[in-house]
Amino acid sequence: MAAVDDLQFEEFGDAATSLAANPDATTISIEDPHETPKHQPGSLRGSGREEDDELLGNDDSDKTELLAGQKKSSPFWTFEYYQTFFDVDTYQVFDRIKGSLLPIPGKNFVRLYIRSNPDLYGPFWICATLVFAIAISGNLSNFLIHLGEKTYHYVPEFRKVSIAATIIYAYAWLVPLALWGFLMWRNSKVMNIVSYSFLEIVCVYGYSLFIYIPTAILWIIPQKAVRWILVMIALSISGSVLAMTFWPAVREDNRRIALATIVTVVLLHMLLSVGCLAYFFDAPEMDHLSTTTATPNQTVAAAKSS
Amino acid sequence: MAEAEESPGDPGTASPRPLFAGLSDISISQDIPIEGEITIPVRSRIREFDSSTLNESVQNTIMRDLKAVGKKFMHVLYPRKSNTLLRDWDLWGPLILCVTLALMLQRGSADSEKDGGPQFAEVFVIVWFGAVTITLNSKLLGGNISFFQSLCVLGYCILPLTVAMLICRLVLLAKPGPVNFMVRLFVVIVMFAWSIVASTAFLADSQPPNRKALAVYPVFLFYFVISWMILTFTP
């Protein structure tokens, strides 16, 4: 029986050292295997009994310290590789969304919020929500505009959902790809202090699209002036987030190329919002009032001529 | 031979094993009785099991599956914290519900304008790919629910929305107008809330506590889109 006790004590020691070396190591103990990885790192560092999310956060920082910049250690055909892109908590996602809504001059979105932990949860679900927000708001707005007309038959316009999905997902993935390729090419010519990985750029673009969700819902209001004011506000907020993120990356470069890059980024963003407004939302009442006043004139003219 | 000498001299090991108790009396040099005694009880058990499901009537098989589906419908309609949906998952219920919903939602073939409601295939694809996406999302966030268990729960929780579709179709037979729309809106909102409550009752426990909202939000979006399709259905 003493040999069994020795064995157990040695296993605890081995588990502790192996966990310090590699948090992924499997350890044997008499406890529930699910609790072992959580409890032992906490007791190792001597910090008190913390909440689960603190322990998970500590595990995460342990991993990033140990793997020193080489974050994705699993091969790309395993499930764990993709789990590293969803390694965010609820409060982190909320913080990133808040950062995209309130751009502070001088604070870089990537450095402040993403901090080498880019996630794919935010970009994917913000784009999905935006697709349905635009399609549903467009449908509702058209219904409200044409409400009184006798000849109008309401159709749900379901085809527009797939069009909206194509546009938004293409924008959220292809433009970051092009921008990343461009920045890599400039990096080979000019040594930049700041360089972003592809996933960080996707992350910034995804979170910067969040402002368009309330904008799309407010576009239901059938006033042209209101819609254009909303376009300007949304463009200024998300455009400034993007500009402030990418300015440090091109600052070292030739002045004209740096300015051209930033202007192109903002211009593409504006193209997206104006294009969505024009395609999914019919022109509001003022145009229809002018057509209804035109037709009585035509009938009067026809009556006069005959 | 060596075994024959040892076994009668060691009654201690033979006594806790009644299966081998008779062997010590039999001469073990012949192999056939041992094989006969060891294998016959197991074989007869297998035979009983086979005859119980292979030879039963088709009605029994179908009724057993239908009863399982019906029991799960009851669990969805009165959501309690229970494990029945998770433990014995099946995809018959979601298939029945999805096909019913898609059949009722599709626009008629006569209405071939370029913009209208969704076709059968579009509803089917949205439901199944939406459920697969939500399942992948919850697994990637670190949930410990299996793939098919999650599909099963999401599919079964479409039941309140299918009931809402049936009610909407009945209400649409009456005179169209704002009252008609208000009734349909109310029914769809109530059933949407019911679906969300039912699915979170089953799914929320499988997520790590600091990511529950991240896993529940896509479920909300999924049922919202289905509710929108039901509400905007015009015959």
Side-chain angles (χ1 to χ4, degrees):
Chain A
M1 294 306 135
V4 178
D5 276 339
D6 275 346
L7 257 171
Q8 285 183 352
F9 180 76
E10 280 181 17
E11 281 178 7
F12 186 82
D14 275 345
T17 50
S18 69
L19 269 179
N22 178 12
D24 282 337
T26 51
T27 57
I28 309 168
S29 78
I30 45 176
E31 296 173 3
D32 186 8
H34 289 295
E35 296 175 11
T36 314
K38 281 189 198 162
H39 286 314
Q40 293 196 351
S43 59
L44 266 183
R45 247 173 275 109
S47 52
R49 184 64 59 194
E50 294 169 293
E51 297 168 4
D52 271 350
D53 54 350
E54 288 283 271
L55 283 172
L56 284 173
N58 283 338
D59 259 352
D60 188 30
S61 63
D62 241 357
K63 268 188 208 166
T64 49
E65 282 167 27
L66 291 167
L67 299 175
Q70 188 196 353
K71 196 163 180 242
K72 287 104 185 155
S73 55
S74 326
F76 67 92
W77 55 83
T78 58
F79 192 68
E80 284 74 29
Y81 175 72
Y82 298 102
Q83 263 183 327
T84 56
F85 302 141
F86 283 78
D87 201 9
V88 278
D89 296 336
T90 310
Y91 75 92
Q92 282 178 318
V93 173
F94 281 151
D95 278 344
R96 292 175 185 191
I97 291 179
K98 248 190 339 198
S100 77
L101 288 177
L102 305 166
I104 306 174
K107 294 250 177 90
N108 192 337
F109 180 78
V110 175
R111 286 294 161 247
L112 191 59
Y113 292 105
I114 299 194
R115 260 191 239 161
S116 327
N117 186 20
D119 70 304
L120 285 181
Y121 177 89
F124 182 77
W125 287 109
I126 290 178
C127 289
T129 312
L130 186 60
V131 163
F132 288 113
I134 286 187
I136 292 178
S137 306
N139 198 231
L140 256 182
S141 145
N142 292 350
F143 171 70
L144 287 176
I145 286 176
H146 299 279
L147 191 48
E149 293 168 17
K150 301 281 183 199
T151 57
Y152 178 70
H153 174 65
Y154 169 73
V155 284
E157 287 177 330
F158 194 75
R159 193 64 50 88
K160 295 205 168 169
V161 171
S162 35
I163 297 176
T166 314
I167 294 176
I168 294 197
Y169 274 103
Y171 179 80
W173 285 87
L174 293 182
V175 172
L177 187 65
L179 189 58
W180 174 74
F182 176 75
L183 287 178
M184 284 292 118
W185 174 58
R186 293 312 299 175
N187 245 355
S188 65
K189 300 254 180 109
V190 177
M191 260 334 276
N192 276 329
I193 301 176
V194 177
S195 72
Y196 299 126
S197 72
F198 172 61
L199 280 172
E200 287 170 348
I201 301 183
V202 167
C203 221
V204 172
Y205 263 88
Y207 280 103
S208 74
L209 285 176
F210 180 82
I211 184 71
Y212 285 111
I213 297 175
T215 310
I217 297 177
L218 286 175
W219 274 342
I220 297 179
I221 302 173
Q223 297 293 329
K224 237 185 184 164
V226 171
R227 284 182 179 177
W228 281 99
I229 291 176
L230 286 168
V231 168
M232 287 298 132
I233 295 176
L235 186 63
S236 62
I237 292 179
S238 58
S240 60
V241 169
L242 287 176
M244 282 193 292
T245 304
F246 290 112
W247 179 246
V250 293
R251 193 171 38 195
E252 316 285 320
D253 207 350
N254 186 353
R255 196 78 184 171
R256 282 192 304 166
I257 293 186
L259 277 177
T261 312
I262 302 291
V263 165
T264 312
V265 162
V266 175
L267 209 61
L268 281 174
H269 219 61
M270 187 180 74
L271 204 61
L272 176 79
S273 59
V274 171
C276 284
L277 178 61
Y279 184 70
F280 292 101
F281 294 83
D282 282 350
E285 275 165 348
M286 296 192 303
D287 293 354
H288 284 273
L289 273 177
S290 61
T291 52
T292 48
T293 51
T295 41
N297 285 339
Q298 288 171 2
T299 51
V300 166
K304 273 192 188 162
S305 60
S306 66
Chain B
M1 283 305 182
E3 296 145 4
E5 286 170 2
E6 278 176 11
S7 52
D10 204 4
T13 53
S15 48
R17 303 182 179 185
L19 197 62
F20 295 99
L23 287 181
S24 58
D25 298 330
I26 301 171
S27 60
I28 304 182
S29 57
Q30 302 174 26
D31 287 338
I32 300 172
I34 296 176
E35 287 180 23
E37 284 206 19
I38 290 176
T39 54
I40 279 180
V42 178
R43 199 176 275 161
S44 70
R45 254 182 271 136
I46 290 180
R47 257 197 224 121
E48 282 170 11
F49 195 80
D50 270 347
S51 64
S52 67
T53 55
L54 269 185
N55 292 340
E56 67 179 7
S57 63
V58 175
Q59 183 189 4
N60 276 357
T61 315
I62 293 181
M63 285 314 294
R64 189 173 59 234
D65 279 334
L66 278 181
K67 277 193 201 137
V69 168
K71 203 161 67 136
K72 293 202 187 74
F73 279 172
M74 284 300 126
H75 275 277
V76 169
L77 287 178
Y78 304 108
R80 288 178 295 267
K81 290 231 179 245
S82 82
N83 273 341
T84 314
L85 244 69
L86 290 178
R87 219 180 24 230
D88 315 313
W89 60 266
D90 74 271
L91 291 178
W92 282 115
L95 182 67
I96 295 173
L97 287 172
C98 182
V99 167
T100 314
L101 193 62
L103 276 175
M104 287 196 286
L105 267 177
Q106 64 170 349
R107 55 177 181 245
S109 54
D111 179 10
S112 55
E113 304 173 21
K114 61 178 172 64
D115 275 339
Q119 292 282 21
F120 178 93
E122 287 169 343
V123 177
F124 211 81
V125 160
I126 281 189
V127 169
W128 284 102
F129 272 84
V132 166
T133 309
I134 296 175
T135 307
L136 278 178
N137 177 64
S138 83
K139 283 188 79 71
L140 283 169
L141 282 173
N144 59 356
I145 194 172
S146 97
F147 184 76
F148 287 108
Q149 281 173 346
S150 172
L151 277 186
C152 170
V153 169
L154 289 169
Y156 270 103
C157 291
I158 296 182
L159 176 67
L161 288 170
T162 311
V163 170
M165 184 73 216
L166 279 165
I167 298 180
C168 281
R169 281 215 94 148
L170 290 174
V171 169
L172 277 169
L173 293 174
K175 187 170 68 81
V179 176
N180 196 315
F181 177 73
M182 281 302 161
V183 170
R184 280 187 293 139
L185 181 67
F186 176 71
V187 167
V188 168
I189 288 180
V190 166
M191 292 303 179
F192 167 65
W194 202 335
S195 284
I196 301 260
V197 165
S199 59
T200 47
F202 294 116
L203 285 178
D205 287 336
S206 65
Q207 292 298 322
N210 50 331
R211 296 180 183 184
K212 274 206 170 72
L214 295 184
V216 167
Y217 170 71
V219 177
F220 170 84
L221 187 65
F222 176 62
Y223 288 128
F224 182 78
V225 169
I226 297 183
S227 313
W228 176 258
M229 289 198 294
I230 292 176
L231 188 59
T232 61
F233 173 75
T234 49

